[in-house]
Amino acid sequence: MTLFTRVAETQRESIVFSLDGHAATALAGDTILTAVLTQADRLRLSEFSHRPRAGFCLIGACQDCWMHTEDGQPVRACSTEIQNGMRLLSSIPGGVDE
Ligand code: FES
């Protein structure tokens, strides 16, 4: 199940990224949030409750959409453009959900 279904702008260039080690595709210009939620039913697991989170405001205000890259860099999914080859994790390395 995915949370987002793409209904427009489907002709943009396709790019490849990974989510928890699994190959995934997005379209150039997608935010990380759009890229992930067209592939999955959540962005991440909460580091506090271990419950699934998918962002809230979608405009960079609520801080609910932080993810990490495999090299440990935090990225705000709703305001960061997905990059070809980006390697994302849906849980914080070393967090309670590891
Ligand atoms: S969804 Fe609120 S800051 Fe990203």
Side-chain angles (χ1 to χ4, degrees):
M1 182 179 111
T2 63
L3 285 189
F4 285 2
T5 299
R6 195 178 299 278
V7 296
E9 299 186 35
T10 57
Q11 302 306 310
R12 283 185 276 136
E13 177 187 356
S14 183
I15 62 172
V16 176
F17 69 104
S18 78
L19 179 61
D20 296 329
H22 301 284
T25 58
L27 297 183
D30 283 352
T31 62
I32 291 173
L33 185 141
T34 297
V36 171
L37 293 182
T38 55
Q39 308 283 315
D41 62 356
R42 62 180 164 90
L43 280 177
R44 64 184 183 97
L45 295 175
S46 167
E47 63 272 39
F48 303 109
S49 68
H50 198 243
R51 305 281 311 261
R53 305 299 304 168
F56 181 72
C57 72
L58 312 185
I59 59 170
C62 75
Q63 313 301 315
D64 191 46
C65 65
W66 286 98
M67 297 180 74
H68 284 79
T69 61
E70 284 185 355
D71 62 1
Q73 296 300 309
V75 288
R76 185 164 41 202
C78 73
S79 60
T80 305
E81 191 172 309
I82 191 86
Q83 300 297 316
N84 202 35
M86 190 173 257
R87 302 183 65 80
L88 299 168
L89 298 173
S90 65
S91 59
I92 295 174
V96 296
D97 47 343
E98 289 289 310

